[in-house]
Amino acid sequence: ESDTASEVSLQFNRHKKTPSIGSHSSDMASVSSVSGSVLSVYSGDFGSVDAQGTVEFALDYDEKNREFQVHVSQCKDLAVVDEKKGRSDPYVKTYLLPDKARMGKRKTSVKKRTVNPIYNEVLRYKIEKMVLLIQKLNLSVWHNDPLGRNSFLGEIEIDLASWDWSNRKLNWYPLKPRSLSAVNGVDHRGVMSLSIKYVPPGSLGEWPKNPPSGEVHIWVKDVKDLLQLRPAGVDSFVKCYVLPDTSKKSYQKTRVIKRDTNPVFNHTIVYDGFHTEDLKDACVELTVWDHEKLTNHFLGGIRLGLGTGLSYGISVDWMDSTQEEVAFWQEMMLAANEWIEGLLPLRSL
């Protein structure tokens, strides 16, 4: 599929609009190739198992090695997933929130055929103490299914800012059902304010045809309430592609706004080479990143398109716009030469 996709890949050209709207040049370092594909903490098939039982663990921070340690001891009285066989194959998984992608997940081994598994394992995160103190620990227990249809058995969430770090003892905690926000897929990453406009070919009426091909204008205004990954805030910038084209011609980015979880970008991008029929098959992807020296961290993004799952007849996973994003794109398609304003929530892509 990828070979076919490259054949139909649109070579959209991009340039910046005149400075009247506040376009800014950008001179930051090259962007890392960190994938924007961020899986939900709650991936898997939950089945209809009710959370029950307890988990025993201890938390510690190793100052010398700058390492956060989760000592997972055991669980008791977990729910039975396969009632016919009377079995559960449980394991424990941890994330640091709010940005579960940044530090990644850790998990224990799987214990077969038991509702009272004993682990005695240490899950480790290399992280500065100051950064750790603005995180939450999400610890969940899952039944491992060989086909990947894992079942959720319970969780506990701990605010590390208020944790008693002198307490290094193993303690028992009741496992709780999934939080409502997790069930509803709510994963608040901030909100982007932007405007978009489509200028059809020849619609400006000057000679020769102006513009000779259609243009999509994207005005990235600001983002509110970004994830705060460090005590000092985040150093954020926005990347833009018009998919399916992922070449350098399609790539654009804003400048970096430092130490601000509510950055104002006021950056306008214009893509030409856009014919009206392309609007059904193309997708504008805007992603927000935290800029660091070694690597950049994905904070959230939006995809503007019709969300059909298809691009030029090919099935693609990025044509997955939400209802809000689809409505925004459709409004632009119906109102040529008009700026359409939007306020869209950032999400995992």
Side-chain angles (χ1 to χ4, degrees):
E1 280 188 5
S2 58
D3 291 339
T4 317
S6 65
E7 289 170 20
V8 299
S9 174
L10 299 179
Q11 293 300 308
F12 294 115
N13 298 312
R14 50 93 175 140
H15 55 270
K16 291 172 193 161
K17 189 171 165 60
T18 52
S20 59
I21 287 188
S23 161
H24 293 275
S25 62
S26 181
D27 57 358
M28 56 165 282
S30 63
V31 176
S32 79
S33 58
V34 174
S35 167
S37 174
V38 182
L39 295 177
S40 164
V41 176
Y42 300 96
S43 58
D45 175 15
F46 308 121
S48 57
V49 180
D50 291 329
Q52 67 176 61
T54 54
V55 57
E56 186 185 41
F57 64 90
L59 305 184
D60 195 10
Y61 186 78
D62 183 340
E63 300 278 359
K64 183 181 176 183
N65 294 309
R66 295 177 179 176
E67 187 178 76
F68 174 49
Q69 300 172 348
V70 184
H71 301 251
V72 181
S73 172
Q74 59 183 319
C75 301
K76 271 189 181 170
D77 303 322
L78 296 175
V80 175
V81 174
D82 189 338
E83 291 189 2
K84 286 182 182 177
K85 296 179 182 176
R87 70 179 287 180
S88 294
D89 298 343
Y91 66 95
V92 175
K93 179 166 70 172
T94 59
Y95 280 97
L96 291 177
L97 305 176
D99 187 8
K100 51 190 175 285
R102 179 180 165 87
M103 296 302 297
K105 68 182 173 188
R106 305 286 187 272
K107 38 185 198 178
T108 66
S109 57
V110 176
K111 302 301 178 185
K112 298 281 183 78
R113 295 182 178 84
T114 179
V115 292
N116 300 298
I118 297 174
Y119 298 102
N120 290 325
E121 296 178 37
V122 181
L123 307 179
R124 305 169 188 274
Y125 291 86
K126 288 282 186 184
I127 184 171
E128 296 289 340
K129 184 75 172 282
M130 281 182 69
V131 178
L132 184 66
L133 293 180
I134 55 171
Q135 313 282 313
K136 289 182 180 178
L137 172 69
N138 178 277
L139 183 147
S140 53
V141 185
W142 295 77
H143 161 71
N144 182 67
D145 183 275
L147 300 177
R149 295 168 62 84
N150 297 340
S151 296
F152 175 85
L153 299 179
E155 72 171 5
I156 179 168
E157 202 162 280
I158 290 176
D159 188 343
L160 297 175
S162 56
W163 181 255
D164 176 10
W165 292 97
S166 65
N167 174 19
R168 297 185 180 88
K169 293 178 182 177
L170 289 166
N171 287 299
W172 288 98
Y173 301 89
L175 289 167
K176 298 178 181 178
R178 296 187 308 284
S179 64
L180 194 61
S181 62
V183 174
N184 293 336
V186 175
D187 181 18
H188 185 71
R189 292 173 167 268
V191 180
M192 180 181 289
S193 172
L194 74 163
S195 291
I196 54 175
K197 174 171 69 171
Y198 179 58
V199 182
S203 62
L204 300 185
E206 298 174 19
W207 184 92
K209 280 188 175 181
N210 188 13
S213 64
E215 296 177 344
V216 170
H217 297 227
I218 304 149
W219 179 5
V220 180
K221 297 177 181 178
D222 59 56
V223 180
K224 294 278 196 304
D225 201 20
L226 282 175
L227 296 175
Q228 183 164 331
L229 301 184
R230 298 184 295 276
V234 288
D235 299 343
S236 62
F237 67 98
V238 177
K239 277 201 251 183
C240 184
Y241 280 100
V242 176
L243 304 172
D245 189 1
T246 55
S247 69
K248 285 186 178 177
K249 286 184 179 179
S250 171
Y251 174 53
Q252 176 65 297
K253 66 189 175 194
T254 69
R255 72 197 194 285
V256 178
I257 306 294
K258 295 194 171 181
R259 299 181 189 86
D260 195 344
T261 53
N262 298 292
V264 176
F265 295 103
N266 209 22
H267 184 104
T268 307
I269 307 157
V270 178
Y271 287 91
D272 60 18
F274 243 113
H275 295 282
T276 305
E277 58 269 23
D278 293 324
L279 297 176
K280 301 193 304 290
D281 294 290
C283 171
V284 171
E285 181 183 83
L286 293 160
T287 51
V288 187
W289 298 78
D290 177 39
H291 176 60
E292 289 192 27
K293 287 181 182 177
L294 298 178
T295 186
N296 297 305
H297 297 288
F298 175 77
L299 298 175
I302 59 175
R303 288 193 178 125
L304 306 176
L306 292 184
T308 58
L310 296 173
S311 175
Y312 299 97
I314 296 165
S315 179
V316 291
D317 59 3
W318 46 259
M319 197 59 117
D320 65 347
S321 298
T322 64
Q323 284 183 319
E324 286 175 280
E325 292 164 353
V326 170
F328 188 49
W329 190 250
Q330 286 175 328
E331 192 177 350
M332 178 200 74
M333 291 172 68
L334 293 170
N337 294 311
E338 288 184 30
W339 283 108
I340 306 301
E341 293 189 21
L343 199 62
L344 294 171
L346 299 179
R347 60 185 175 98
S348 299
L349 296 182

